[in-house]
Amino acid sequence: MRNDEWISQLAQLHQQRTSCVLLTLVEHQGSTPRNSGCKMVVTADQQYFTLGGGNLEYQAIAIAREMLQTQAQQSRLERFNLGARLGQCCGGVATVLLEPLCQQQPVVVVYGAGHVGRALIAILATLPCRIYWVDSRASAFPPQVDPQISCISDEDPAATVQQMPAGSYFMVLTHDHQLDLLLSEKILRRNDFSYFGLIGSLTKRKRFEYRLAGKGIPQGTLDKMRCPVGLPDVKGKLPAEIAVAIAGEFIAAYGSGNNAL
């Protein structure tokens, strides 16, 4: 590994807004697979470069992935004795610094894999965000999607609302008004979302507000529901036009939190 290779890799991951942990062998005593200063980069599903392989590297990667899973913010210094207990016969001691470099990616949840949903997903897939695409019909999803998209086929899509992390961006675009109402109720009852957009007209909004208020949803919470969804200045009824309007509103909502896509 050239001295600048790990820097280039970190820059690429930063551009992709991919969280990672930078591992550095800061000290070695006795016989170790590699010398001090060598580096490794670990993401949730990839690793780049090496600390020398073996059980040392396996355990270091496991610690790095645990840090990513728990969204750790503090660096860790780990000491490894390279003896029989670690499954290595070098006999030396390696000290590894693990530095988390977390990139906050918005979680976007799109309900509905119809024409508008497909057009919207095509746009969102070009943005640095984690996408969950939910529909009751497995056949509605295209055969292949980008790695950042998780397709969820569930006969009860509303049951997935509680599985999404706090601060998610919800977009409800299904073909079923009754399902839209159920999803809206589940999302609004959570009331911990960053954005909730519902496809439909002002008439649909008024009807939904009346029914949801009857179910005990406060007006202040109902006011957070974006319906009709999308930037009002983007006109048109074609799926691509609606998708552009929704994507634009999402970008504006995310940007208002002092984040940058």
Side-chain angles (χ1 to χ4, degrees):
M1 177 183 66
R2 300 194 315 269
N3 289 336
D4 61 344
E5 283 185 315
W6 66 272
I7 298 175
S8 298
Q9 186 61 59
L10 286 182
Q12 182 179 347
L13 292 172
H14 179 76
Q15 186 177 20
Q16 297 169 349
R17 299 189 65 81
T18 299
S19 297
C20 65
V21 177
L22 175 64
L23 292 76
T24 305
L25 182 60
V26 294
E27 183 181 6
H28 73 282
Q29 300 173 4
S31 178
T32 58
R34 303 211 48 198
N35 294 330
S36 299
C38 71
K39 295 182 182 292
M40 184 177 191
V41 179
V42 175
T43 70
D45 54 8
Q46 296 286 336
Q47 58 241 25
Y48 307 89
F49 317 118
T50 181
L51 296 180
N55 210 8
L56 160 66
E57 186 165 292
Y58 176 82
Q59 291 200 23
I61 291 171
I63 294 170
R65 296 217 163 111
E66 178 190 359
M67 293 173 70
L68 289 170
Q69 185 174 10
T70 59
Q71 298 184 354
Q73 301 296 317
Q74 299 296 320
S75 299
R76 288 174 59 170
L77 199 63
E78 296 287 339
R79 184 181 175 90
F80 300 92
N81 292 306
L82 307 183
R85 291 186 63 185
L86 198 62
Q88 295 192 229
C89 57
C90 301
V93 177
T95 303
V96 179
L97 175 65
L98 299 96
E99 301 174 88
L101 304 171
C102 296
Q103 301 289 329
Q104 294 299 322
Q105 287 191 335
V107 172
V108 183
V109 189
V110 178
Y111 287 95
H115 295 305
V116 175
R118 284 183 173 231
L120 178 60
I121 288 291
I123 299 173
L124 295 176
T126 67
L127 301 174
C129 54
R130 187 76 180 90
I131 303 166
Y132 294 92
W133 194 7
V134 187
D135 200 291
S136 60
R137 307 159 298 172
S139 60
F141 298 114
Q144 291 186 332
V145 296
D146 287 307
Q148 75 201 79
I149 302 171
S150 297
C151 294
I152 302 174
S153 175
D154 196 310
E155 293 182 358
D156 181 16
T160 66
V161 172
Q162 291 301 323
Q163 300 170 14
M164 302 303 165
S168 295
Y169 292 74
F170 290 97
M171 302 173 189
V172 175
L173 319 165
T174 83
H175 61 290
D176 185 337
H177 279 217
Q178 195 59 37
L179 176 57
D180 285 355
L181 180 64
L182 182 56
L183 287 165
S184 298
E185 181 183 355
K186 296 283 189 181
I187 294 167
L188 291 169
R189 286 198 187 283
R190 283 193 56 165
N191 200 22
D192 61 355
F193 51 86
S194 292
Y195 169 88
F196 166 36
L198 170 66
I199 197 167
S201 63
L202 284 173
T203 301
K204 179 177 179 178
R205 181 190 181 94
K206 291 178 181 178
R207 186 182 303 119
F208 272 36
E209 280 192 339
Y210 177 79
R211 296 185 66 178
L212 291 167
K215 293 175 178 289
I217 306 293
Q219 186 60 47
T221 303
L222 290 171
D223 289 341
K224 298 178 183 179
M225 179 174 66
R226 295 287 301 177
C227 180
V229 66
L231 296 174
D233 290 338
V234 180
K235 308 297 183 181
K237 296 184 179 181
L238 294 174
E241 294 169 328
I242 298 171
V244 167
I246 298 171
E249 188 170 83
F250 159 65
I251 293 171
Y254 184 71
S256 67
N258 296 321
N259 297 302
L261 280 170

